[in-house]
Amino acid sequence: MTTEKIWLFCTVIMIAVACNSNKNNEPPSYDTNDTTTYITNDTIPNFRKVVSPKAVASFTKKVPDELNKWVFAVDVYETKETFKYNMRIKYKELIVTDSLRLPNFGTIPKVILQSGKEPLSCIIGFADKKGNFKEYRKAFIDKDRLRIVSLKSYFVGIYQTQK
């Protein structure tokens, strides 16, 4: 037998064993008196019916310059996806676009922009289910360069609770 035939024979045997072992596994049985509730965030549609062309959040600060009327500005726009936004960030004559994806906490997302600690900085965040501000990303000017960094990460999971 050639090595190709041996390899093919071993592969067929491994596939047959794997398929046969899956047939013997029964699906888990569930108790009909189970009191566990699964909380999911599927109440918000994944896509918007209408996408607003206007910015849902805006932030603007004047750049100190005697000769020009430059600004540092962050504008956030909706996309077709409910939890995805486009950011348009302007510094002097530079315009940069970036995407922003928010977690699904079971409510319609609300983008919030706040001033950061640095003179030309903007904290990009959102309101959680209780309306609290959750900082997410930061756009700022560092040594005359525009930088965008992630401040925190958020994850949504499915939790079990007892009645």
Side-chain angles (χ1 to χ4, degrees):
M1 255 190 200
T2 64
T3 52
E4 290 87 16
K5 289 181 181 178
I6 292 172
W7 183 84
L8 179 63
F9 178 73
C10 290
T11 304
V12 169
I13 295 297
M14 287 180 4
I15 292 172
V17 169
C19 290
N20 192 25
S21 66
N22 285 342
K23 288 179 183 176
N24 293 334
N25 289 342
E26 294 181 19
S29 62
Y30 296 100
D31 184 7
T32 56
N33 295 327
D34 189 9
T35 59
T36 304
T37 304
Y38 297 93
I39 301 170
T40 60
N41 293 324
D42 59 355
T43 57
I44 307 300
N46 289 327
F47 295 94
R48 292 183 174 92
K49 291 181 181 178
V50 177
V51 178
S52 174
K54 296 182 181 180
V56 294
S58 293
F59 175 88
T60 304
K61 253 191 184 173
K62 188 178 181 325
V63 174
D65 189 291
E66 293 178 14
L67 301 175
N68 301 297
K69 295 182 180 181
W70 284 328
V71 295
F72 168 69
V74 178
D75 295 305
V76 181
Y77 298 91
E78 290 180 345
T79 65
K80 189 73 176 159
E81 294 180 53
T82 303
F83 297 95
K84 185 177 179 186
Y85 294 84
N86 287 328
M87 296 188 301
R88 182 178 177 263
I89 304 166
K90 182 176 183 178
Y91 173 63
K92 294 183 178 180
E93 297 299 318
L94 175 69
I95 297 174
V96 176
T97 58
D98 196 5
S99 62
L100 176 70
R101 187 172 294 278
L102 301 180
N104 181 352
F105 285 130
T107 60
I108 298 293
K110 180 181 179 188
V111 178
I112 300 172
L113 304 178
Q114 293 184 352
S115 182
K117 291 179 183 176
E118 294 89 357
L120 296 176
S121 65
C122 174
I123 305 296
I124 302 146
F126 57 92
D128 68 4
K129 221 172 186 176
K130 295 179 181 178
N132 299 321
F133 177 71
K134 297 291 184 183
E135 59 182 29
Y136 189 41
R137 297 176 79 185
K138 178 169 82 168
F140 64 103
I141 306 305
D142 181 30
K143 298 177 185 172
D144 209 35
R145 290 186 176 190
L146 174 62
R147 295 192 55 205
I148 304 167
V149 295
S150 293
L151 298 174
K152 294 186 179 179
S153 297
Y154 298 93
F155 302 95
V156 178
I158 298 173
Y159 300 97
Q160 299 180 11
T161 59
Q162 295 287 332
K163 285 186 182 180

